[in-house]
Amino acid sequence: RQISLRGLSMLKISRRFDYGLQVMLALVSTADQPIATSTLSRELNIPLPFMHQIIHTLMQKGLIRTTPGPRGGIRLNRAPNTISIREIMEALEGPIRLSPCLEDPSACDRRDTCVFFPIWASLQKSINETLEGLTLDYLAGQSPQSILHEIQMLNISVETCQPTTAV
C-alpha cells in the first residue's frame, strides 16, 4: 500500500524556513568571520528586507549573532554541530504540531478513541526526531547526491513522496 503526501499543504515548508536554513548553512562556511547581510542576500538570492526579518528572529533565539560596523555582519552563535534543523524550524515557525490534539489534550474530547491520534503522534515524533538528528555541521559536509542516497536507503521516493518497494 502506498501513502501519498501530495496536496498536504499543512506540511509545506515555508519560504521563511527555507531561506532561514539557507542562511544558517551559508554561515557554517564562513567559520567565525562575520558576513555582511547584503552580501549574503545577494549570494543566496533572498530579498534583503525578508532576510533582515529572518536574521532578527534567529538572533532573538540565540542562533546567530551580529557584529556592528563596516567589517561587521552576522555569524553563528554556536558551533554548527550543536544546531539542529528542528531548532531552526522551531525558532522561525514555532513548535511542530501536526494536530491541535497533540499540543493540547483538552483540544479534543475524542482523543482516547480517535483512530487518527496515534498516526499523527507517530508522524510528529518521526519528524521531530529526524529534524533533531540533522545538524548544520552534518549537512554542510553533504552533497545533494549523498543526501538523496540516504533518503533512498530510508525507502522513500523523493519524486512522488511515497514509500517505495524494497529491492
Side-chain angles (χ1 to χ4, degrees):
R1 183 173 78 174
Q2 292 189 345
I3 301 169
S4 175
L5 298 178
R6 283 188 220 153
L8 291 177
S9 61
M10 67 181 180
L11 296 178
K12 186 176 181 180
I13 301 299
S14 73
R15 183 164 293 169
R16 177 180 168 88
F17 175 54
D18 182 42
Y19 285 169
L21 283 176
Q22 291 180 45
V23 167
M24 295 293 286
L25 199 56
L27 292 178
V28 173
S29 64
T30 65
D32 200 32
Q33 298 298 313
I35 183 168
T37 55
S38 59
T39 302
L40 204 52
S41 169
R42 188 175 53 258
E43 287 177 1
L44 298 176
N45 198 27
I46 299 173
L48 190 57
F50 197 22
M51 179 172 278
H52 283 155
Q53 292 173 12
I54 293 166
I55 288 169
H56 180 73
T57 301
L58 294 171
M59 189 175 65
Q60 284 184 320
K61 298 295 182 175
L63 295 173
I64 62 172
R65 60 184 161 154
T66 59
T67 304
R71 294 182 187 217
I74 61 171
R75 60 181 137 182
L76 295 178
N77 196 34
R78 298 194 331 247
N81 66 336
T82 68
I83 301 173
S84 73
I85 302 308
R86 178 180 175 183
E87 187 175 7
I88 298 167
M89 177 177 254
E90 290 183 349
L92 293 169
E93 302 294 336
I96 301 165
R97 298 289 181 250
L98 297 182
S99 172
C101 65
L102 295 171
E103 185 173 4
D104 178 12
S106 66
C108 181
D109 58 354
R110 298 182 320 204
R111 181 175 172 170
D112 294 333
T113 59
C114 179
V115 296
F116 298 109
F117 176 77
I119 296 169
W120 304 148
S122 176
L123 183 58
Q124 181 171 304
K125 182 179 181 216
S126 294
I127 291 170
N128 283 332
E129 288 174 353
T130 299
L131 295 178
E132 187 63 37
L134 295 171
T135 63
L136 289 176
D137 187 52
Y138 170 78
L139 291 173
Q142 300 298 313
S143 69
Q145 292 78 16
S146 65
I147 292 175
L148 179 59
H149 177 71
E150 287 188 40
I151 290 171
Q152 289 170 339
M153 295 300 290
L154 292 173
N155 208 25
I156 298 171
S157 168
V158 175
E159 292 78 22
T160 62
C161 293
Q162 296 177 353
T164 59
T165 307
V167 180

